[in-house]
Amino acid sequence: MATQQGRHFLQIPGPSPVPDRILRAMDMPVIDHRSAEFARLGHEVLEGSKAVFKTTQPVIIFPASGTGAWEAAIVNTLSPGDTVLMAETGHFATLWRNIATRWGVNVEFLPGDWRRGADPAAIEARLVEDRAHKITAVMVVHNETSTGSTSRIAEIRQAIDNAGHPALFMVDTISSLASVDYRHDEWQVDVTVSGSQKGLMLPPGISFNAVSEKALAASKTNTMPRSYWDWQEMLKPNAGGFFPYTPATNLLYGLKEAVAMLREEGLDNVFARHKRLAAATRKAVEAWGLEVLCQNPAEYSPVLTAVLMPPSHDADHYRKVTLEKFNISLGSGLGKVAGKVFRIGHLGECNELTLIGALSGVEMGLAAAGVPHRSGGVQAAMAALEGNVEANAPKVAVT
Ligand SMILES: *Cc1c(COP(=O)(O)O)cnc(C)c1O
């Protein structure tokens, strides 16, 4: 097998590349998690991560992938037989629905075509219809990582309020937190689910539930069984900076560093950088003559761009050729769009030159795999990053 030189380009929409600063911060001896030294770290990350969620309420950290935090949100608030409203935005919304279903929850799944976010008007209409308030929760994925579409969380909050409906509001921000503007308290979200390995730039292994007073109240009366995920069991030792079982200590060192990095850059600058890189990526896709999967410009993802393959070209073959020739990993199509799309991640530790390098790999890969396209995508992305609109206009031959 041929060896590959240089840095691997991990351009999937999570796990995202871990910055050297975070790798170094984690390169520490494991300490006693019942010690005073640990309690300082515990306090610091439990308090420090609140700013990233824009909350003053508790943030619970589980040693688990995002899927664990999905399950925690369900088992701490719902009861078997409850009805919840979800929106079919893509593969991740479908997986979250499947977990709820396995726990005996009756999920009403608003159908979607995987090319846009959840529809606030459809949610409002369904809640207005539910005069008996049978629906106990509205559950939405903020950034649908399988399609590159975001849902408008502030508008969905407004839709719930317009309907005067008391349902809990639960949002999956696993791939949007620290990449896309998100406000747990202001948008009165009851449970925000998140993970470490996307916008937070950490390795996989920890995940989060940010919880509201209303969610905590629900957790005191719901009847779903749980043990490992129980919020109350977590919150008691968390008050002293501790965890009920062995935490992922070294990932917490990394989290402390990630929060510091986000604070230094400023969350608004982080969000603006993601939007700028995403816009440049879409310029490249347009120049290649390919199509972005998301069809609503108001819902384009700042985190990743999913690109449709021309008919009869297999996205997985293209990704394989691109990986072998240029040492770049691109995201695969998931679920219904398997083989039909590839995804370019531009999140976390990503800047202009990382993006241009990645897009070069994508463009050379298109040529290498014989995928019909026009060249000039990288040029268009560069022009977008330079803020040079003129250069984005269709080229006229120079004579
Ligand atoms: C990655 C992701 C998940 C799953 O998280 P794991 O850490 O793989 O369990 C869930 N939802 C969204 C939106 C994601 O991007």
Side-chain angles (χ1 to χ4, degrees):
M1 221 179 100
T3 62
Q4 290 184 310
Q5 287 73 40
R7 189 168 72 81
H8 175 68
F9 271 64
L10 183 65
Q11 300 295 144
I12 60 176
S16 65
V18 181
D20 289 351
R21 227 179 112 170
I22 290 181
L23 289 173
R24 283 190 214 106
M26 292 191 308
D27 187 7
M28 295 280 280
V30 181
I31 56 171
D32 173 8
H33 61 286
R34 309 281 183 209
S35 66
E37 186 187 356
F38 181 87
R40 281 192 293 277
L41 172 67
H43 263 307
E44 201 161 345
V45 293
L46 288 164
E47 284 304 309
S49 50
K50 289 181 181 178
V52 185
F53 290 86
K54 296 195 177 159
T55 186
T56 56
Q57 304 178 85
V59 172
I60 290 164
I61 306 174
F62 294 106
S65 85
T67 301
W70 259 348
E71 180 156 312
I74 292 167
V75 297
N76 280 285
T77 59
L78 305 178
S79 299
D82 275 3
T83 297
V84 302
L85 186 62
M86 296 181 79
E88 186 197 358
T89 48
H91 187 64
F92 287 101
T94 306
L95 292 179
W96 200 12
R97 180 210 47 187
N98 293 349
I99 297 176
T101 303
R102 287 189 205 119
W103 279 100
V105 172
N106 166 32
V107 181
E108 283 191 24
F109 208 30
L110 290 170
D113 65 359
W114 292 40
R115 301 196 72 168
R116 64 205 73 249
D119 179 1
I123 291 172
E124 183 170 332
R126 182 62 194 93
L127 292 178
V128 166
E129 216 176 78
D130 179 36
R131 286 196 196 83
H133 294 166
K134 271 193 64 189
I135 294 170
T136 50
V138 174
M139 298 161 66
V140 176
V141 175
H142 185 201
N143 183 71
E144 179 50 80
T145 323
S146 62
T147 67
S149 304
T150 53
S151 286
R152 291 164 279 151
I153 303 303
E155 288 179 45
I156 296 170
R157 169 78 264 166
Q158 193 60 53
I160 299 170
D161 292 347
N162 290 348
H165 201 288
L168 291 166
F169 189 22
M170 306 212 250
V171 180
D172 168 347
T173 67
I174 295 175
S175 67
S176 59
L177 191 79
S179 298
V180 187
D181 189 15
Y182 184 77
R183 309 170 186 199
H184 177 85
D185 285 1
E186 187 182 323
W187 297 341
Q188 295 169 58
V189 178
D190 294 299
V191 187
T192 297
V193 177
S194 205
S196 56
Q197 75 274 26
K198 301 185 181 172
L200 282 176
M201 307 172 286
L202 295 167
I206 53 174
S207 54
F208 306 83
N209 278 178
V211 299
S212 72
E213 285 293 328
K214 188 170 152 187
L216 284 173
S219 78
K220 288 182 177 134
T221 55
N222 82 313
T223 63
M224 201 83 88
R226 72 271 191 179
S227 169
Y228 185 80
W229 306 116
D230 197 303
W231 289 345
Q232 300 303 331
E233 293 300 311
M234 268 289 197
L235 290 170
K236 276 178 264 170
N238 277 182
F242 294 112
F243 287 76
Y245 36 70
T246 315
T249 307
N250 290 53
L251 286 167
L252 299 182
Y253 283 123
L255 175 59
K256 186 176 140 186
E257 195 68 15
V259 170
M261 287 173 71
L262 293 166
R263 197 189 303 123
E264 284 166 26
E265 185 176 356
L267 281 176
D268 288 342
N269 296 327
V270 172
F271 303 148
R273 170 167 57 83
H274 281 77
K275 276 191 180 170
R276 191 166 70 242
L277 298 178
T281 304
R282 290 192 300 272
K283 284 291 178 197
V285 175
E286 190 189 320
W288 291 323
L290 299 178
E291 196 184 340
V292 168
L293 183 62
C294 178
Q295 282 185 320
N296 182 358
E299 296 173 328
Y300 284 146
S301 171
V303 172
L304 76 136
T305 302
V307 183
L308 275 162
M309 289 299 276
S312 80
H313 287 268
D314 176 27
D316 293 331
H317 171 72
Y318 161 69
R319 288 189 316 107
K320 182 168 177 284
V321 170
T322 308
L323 173 63
E324 282 171 2
K325 281 192 86 78
F326 304 112
N327 198 15
I328 178 173
S329 290
L330 297 167
S332 61
L334 297 170
K336 279 187 196 173
V337 292
K340 298 194 175 84
V341 307
F342 66 91
R343 296 172 298 147
I344 306 167
H346 32 73
L347 67 156
E349 171 88 332
C350 190
N351 64 14
E352 279 77 359
L353 294 193
T354 322
L355 184 75
I356 292 302
L359 294 175
S360 305
V362 173
E363 186 163 332
M364 289 190 288
L366 290 169
V371 178
H373 71 289
R374 291 192 300 264
S375 61
V378 174
Q379 201 72 43
M382 281 167 56
L385 293 174
E386 290 161 2
N388 186 349
V389 182
E390 285 287 286
N392 276 327
K395 296 275 185 309
V396 179
V398 181
T399 50

